[in-house]
Amino acid sequence: RLDLIAGYMFSRVDDNLQISNVSNITPATFGAKIEVEDAFEATNKFHGGQLGLLAEIDRGPLTLSLLAKMGLGNMNEVVAISGNSRITDLAGGRQSFDTGILALPSNSGVYKTDKFTIIPEAEAKLIWRLTRHLDVTLGYSCMYWNDVAMAADQIQLSSSGLPMVNSSQWFGGALQGPAAPTVSGITDTDLWLHAVNFGVTFRM
């Protein structure tokens, strides 16, 4: 048996990276306690159509189900970068700044883009009919996204692989020299998803 499948497809991939650091300074020349947080958030939403084929092969109580389909449509990518830091003095007074270590005024903000994307998916499933009312299913599936924004990829790196940071922006400081890090656009990567599934179906 061979079926043609067509329809609407939605998928979503969210990725978050949060880096926190707490330092207790002794002696407290700059501050008694320094807290710093960097947050990188990436959201990917796919809307599109899909086409595919579903084949089923029966051999006695066993059925092999093979599915191959492809989604074609728009991938909406949204990246948010933010940071904050706090300095607490010996008297308990606190100063707060909208900057972190990697999330600074030169790269903080919300960035959006839309891209045409193809998402192929494949699944193989073995169905064993134990009785007239009970089936057991074992399967494997995989899906591939060719354009996805991931949180860690939004950190600007130098040729040596270290983050590019102009430290003059730390703790609310004014920028001195070239801005770093900067954002020229959302950095994309590809993503594979593999899954093994097991199920039981009971029919009345």
Side-chain angles (χ1 to χ4, degrees):
R1 174 179 173 179
L2 185 64
D3 295 328
L4 175 66
I5 297 173
Y8 164 77
M9 179 179 178
F10 170 77
S11 63
R12 174 170 176 162
V13 177
D14 293 344
D15 188 43
N16 301 292
L17 172 64
Q18 184 167 343
I19 304 171
S20 300
N21 180 70
V22 178
S23 301
N24 294 298
I25 310 300
T26 303
T29 53
F30 182 63
K33 184 178 182 181
I34 299 175
E35 303 166 81
V36 182
E37 292 182 355
D38 295 294
F40 296 81
E41 301 177 2
T43 302
N44 304 269
K45 296 180 182 179
F46 174 84
H47 295 270
Q50 65 176 0
L51 290 171
L53 292 173
L54 173 63
E56 291 185 347
I57 304 170
D58 293 325
R59 289 294 183 271
L62 296 176
T63 298
L64 176 62
S65 175
L66 301 173
L67 171 66
K69 59 183 180 179
M70 181 174 294
L72 300 95
N74 180 72
M75 179 71 81
N76 174 252
E77 300 175 353
V78 179
V79 170
I81 302 174
S82 62
N84 64 82
S85 53
R86 296 172 296 277
I87 300 176
T88 304
D89 59 30
L90 288 173
R94 176 177 290 185
Q95 289 180 283
S96 298
F97 308 92
D98 293 328
T99 61
I101 297 297
L102 302 176
L104 299 171
S106 57
N107 69 330
S108 294
V110 178
Y111 307 90
K112 301 178 181 180
T113 189
D114 291 278
K115 294 185 176 180
F116 176 76
T117 303
I118 299 174
I119 300 181
E121 180 180 356
E123 181 185 66
K125 185 167 55 177
L126 186 63
I127 305 169
W128 184 17
R129 291 182 294 278
L130 295 177
T131 69
R132 292 177 54 190
H133 304 287
L134 185 64
D135 293 347
V136 175
T137 303
L138 178 64
Y140 163 79
S141 62
C142 64
M143 183 180 290
Y144 173 72
W145 287 269
N146 67 327
D147 276 312
V148 177
M150 304 300 285
D153 292 331
Q154 312 314 311
I155 299 175
Q156 187 180 22
L157 303 178
S158 66
S159 57
S160 62
L162 297 175
M164 296 178 63
V165 175
N166 185 329
S167 59
S168 65
Q169 303 176 88
W170 290 354
F171 307 108
L175 177 63
Q176 299 177 16
T182 59
V183 177
S184 58
I186 295 177
T187 301
D188 290 320
T189 186
D190 56 355
L191 177 67
W192 279 97
L193 173 67
H194 301 270
V196 176
N197 55 78
F198 174 79
V200 176
T201 303
F202 180 75
R203 295 185 299 274
M204 298 295 294

